[in-house]
Structures are given as structure tokens and as C-alpha cells.
Amino acid sequence: MRPIIEELPGSKIREVANAGIGRSDVLPFWFGESDEVTPAFIREAAISSLNAGETFYAHNLGLPELREALAAYVSAAHGPTEVSRLAITSSGVSALMLAVQALAGAGDDVTAVVPVWPNLTAQPAIMGARVRRVALVPKDGAWRLDLDALLDAVTSSTRALIVNAPSNPTGWTLSRDEQAAILEHTRRTGTWIVADEVYERIYFGAAGRVAPSFLDIAEPEDRLVVIGSFSKSFLMTGWRLGWMVTPPRLIEALGKLIEFNTSCAPVFVQRAGLAALARADEVVPQVVSHLRRCRDTLLPRLSALPRVRVAVPDGGMYAFFRLEGERDSLSLAKRLVVEAGLGLAPGAAFGAEAEGWLRWCFASRDPARLEEGVRRLAAFMRV
Ligand SMILES: Cc1ncc(COP(=O)(O)O)c(C=O)c1O
């Protein structure tokens, strides 16, 4: 086996979850998904497709009707986006892997903004690329971009810049000005931007708005790949359906690459995606307003605890916080499971930069569970 594969780190979130295995009294907020089942009409669309016998291979790039519907969905948020720029993938994470496979090979330099969901840095490492980490800077519980440091780190030898905003785990969101500066800089250095925007709709900045996207300001031919997913905004994590928006010149080759990875997304899953998009205007605002309620339930209670340093996130579904005085987030998260029945993800899972922090996924069907979680944390802290 290639050493890099043998050496892949295990998930520290799983390590914490394993500490609670078999315990029904643990409140699990460790994974990045809602505990809400996918809306029934979406499930029905998949069932109808299966009952109609749609059990065969499909086009590498996705069903034409789904690509059309997605083009309309993306265009409505970000301006005209041609179908010829879209590929349907078997999940957002697969889209990210395809982007990295297409753009960064052995020995290439890739820069990533961290702390971040670990897949984003593991994927280029798997390809043999060298990953340079540029850390966001924590201040008063929030994480800020040092734009100059990022631009300094992206040079003409940087093949790709990987950036996830709204961010998992920090909740940090790129501003329009920062995006413009990054785009302009990468045009000069010839660097690809791989923008993970799977949380773009989970945005609390302004009602009915999506987070600022590189798609809003880029030209179709810019070196930009934007990753999207059905997982978060349609409560479809288990379905494994995502997409990528690329310059038109990449799409044909990506179709071939998809052939060698998954060949195609399952048709019945794509039918479910089609149903979801048809009622996106109804489903997504409901999901977001529920998540806003969850955020507004958790954050004031959490920040009222002594020693907790946390900022209210503008996007995503995570409270990322620091307990002053705690340095070892993995052992702290394990103790919280065992001693308090509270399941959180350790900051160390997202990089050494986030050591001492904890991530709390607030996507809870029942916000009262978040209140109970805070009570358990307070009892653990003896306050
Ligand atoms: C930042 C980020 N990107 C991408 C994904 C992938 O989502 P999926 O593979 O479910 O589409 C996730 C999932 O947690 C994520 O947090």
C-alpha cells in the first residue's frame, strides 16, 4: 500500500463517538448532520423511480433534466450558469475528490484555509500533493481571515487554493471583498480555486439570501471549481448527491474522471434530487429557519457559561467554541461523553490550529435537546 494511505489519520470525531457506543443516554451533537429525516416527497420520488425500474447506469455527468434544474437553481442565486458547466456527483465529498484529482497531482503545491473539515486537506494529500495550511485567526471566539497571509501563501507555484466558506467547523464566512481579492490574486498566479460552498444556503446573514459565492464575481472561464451538495439544505446526507460548477472546458474530462470513480450517481437518487429542487423555495427556507432557531437557542445559553469563548456563526450549523484553560480537546470530548452524556467533536479533528476548541452541531430536530446539552455542560463545569 502507498505509505500515505497507510498513514491516513483516523477520524478523531469517530474516536469520541466510539467512547459513547451503546449508551442511549448520550446526546450526540458530534456529526455534521441534522437528526431530521429527508422530507417525505423527496423519499417518494426515489421510491417511484425504483418502482418504475430505474435501476440502470446513467450518464456520467448526470441526468440531463437534473442538470437543467440545477442550472436554474444555481443561476437564480448567482447569475446565469450554463448546463455545460455542471456535473452531478455522488456527494459533495466525491465532487471535492474529483476536483483534486483533476487539478493537483504528486508534488504539486496546494494551499488550504484551516481549521477545516479534515477531508479537504486529506484529499490532496492522498493525491501526493503538498498541503500548505493557512490558519484563520481566532479573536473573541470568532475566526478571521488574515488576507495578506493567505495571499502571500498563494504563489505562481500554487496549483490550487482550497477554501470552505461558510466553514465547517468555524462558521467563518468569506466576505465579498475578500473573495474579490482572492480571485484577482489567483488570476495573477494561475492558481485554481476549489471553493467548497456546501453550506452556502445555511446562511443567517440576511433573510432569504445565500452566502457570498465566488460564482457571483467570477467569469465562466476563471480557474474556479465550486462544490455544492444536496446533503445539508435538503436534509439528504445519506443520499450522497452533490455537484460541481467548473469552467466549460473541464466538463468533458470530468465526465471521464467520474466514469473511473463512480461512473454516475444512481438514477433514483437523482430523481430525489430533482424533486428536491422543484420545491427548493419551500424546503430550503424551512430548513434554514429551523437551523436559525437552533442556533439562537444554543448560542446565548452557551456563551452565558463562564470560560466559554464563542461567536455567533453567520453560516453553517456549528457552534465552535473554546473552554478557557482546556488544551486537549480529544480527551475533553471523551470525558464529556463519559461523564456528562454530551457528544461533541474535538477541535483537534480539524487541525492543530483548533486544539482546545469543541464543535457542537446544532442541527437538532428538537431544540430542547440543545438546552439539555447546555445543562449537561454546565453540570460538567460545575456552574
Ligand atoms: C465542509 C464540507 N464540505 C463537504 C461536505 C460533504 O458533504 P456531502 O459529501 O454529504 O455532500 C461536508 C459534510 O459534512 C462538509 O462539512
Side-chain angles (χ1 to χ4, degrees), residues 34-201:
S34 169
D35 56 352
E36 185 101 54
V37 174
T38 309
F41 77 92
I42 298 177
R43 287 180 275 144
E44 291 299 339
I47 293 166
S48 304
S49 167
L50 285 170
N51 285 341
E54 292 192 314
T55 58
F56 301 99
Y57 292 131
H59 195 290
N60 294 134
L61 291 171
L63 294 177
E65 50 272 52
L66 181 56
R67 291 177 74 203
E68 291 282 352
L70 195 57
Y73 180 69
V74 173
S75 298
H78 304 301
T81 309
E82 300 286 331
V83 178
S84 59
R85 298 181 58 199
L86 289 172
I88 306 293
T89 58
S90 302
S91 76
V93 69
S94 177
L96 283 160
M97 191 71 200
L98 288 159
V100 171
Q101 286 172 353
L103 301 175
D108 284 337
D109 285 319
V110 167
T111 296
V113 179
V114 297
V116 76
W117 190 53
N119 298 39
L120 293 186
T121 46
Q123 289 172 326
I126 288 169
M127 296 306 298
R130 274 190 301 267
V131 182
R132 176 167 184 181
R133 305 171 70 90
V134 174
L136 298 169
V137 185
K139 189 163 183 283
D140 301 330
W143 293 75
R144 302 264 170 263
L145 177 67
D146 181 341
L147 184 62
D148 291 336
L150 179 63
L151 300 187
D152 282 350
V154 174
T155 68
S156 52
S157 57
T158 310
R159 284 285 297 161
L161 167 65
I162 300 179
V163 57
N164 163 230
S167 148
N168 171 12
T170 60
W172 163 74
T173 302
L174 266 170
S175 71
R176 167 72 70 242
D177 288 349
E178 288 166 337
Q179 284 175 334
I182 292 169
L183 180 62
E184 200 190 312
H185 182 79
T186 54
R187 279 176 178 157
R188 279 197 299 270
T189 59
T191 302
W192 283 86
I193 299 172
V194 177
D196 177 342
E197 298 184 355
V198 304
Y199 294 101
E200 65 158 2
R201 312 257 160 175

Side-chain angles (χ1 to χ4, degrees), residues 272-294:
L274 200 49
L277 288 182
R279 286 171 62 179
D281 288 349
E282 172 194 333
V283 177
V284 179
Q286 272 170 16
V287 169
V288 175
S289 87
H290 181 73
L291 285 174
R292 184 191 287 272
R293 200 175 135 217
C294 291

Side-chain angles (χ1 to χ4, degrees), residues 5 34 101 165-166 242 267 325 337-338 347 350 352:
I5 308 300
S34 169
Q101 286 172 353
V267 176
V337 171
V338 174
F350 309 95

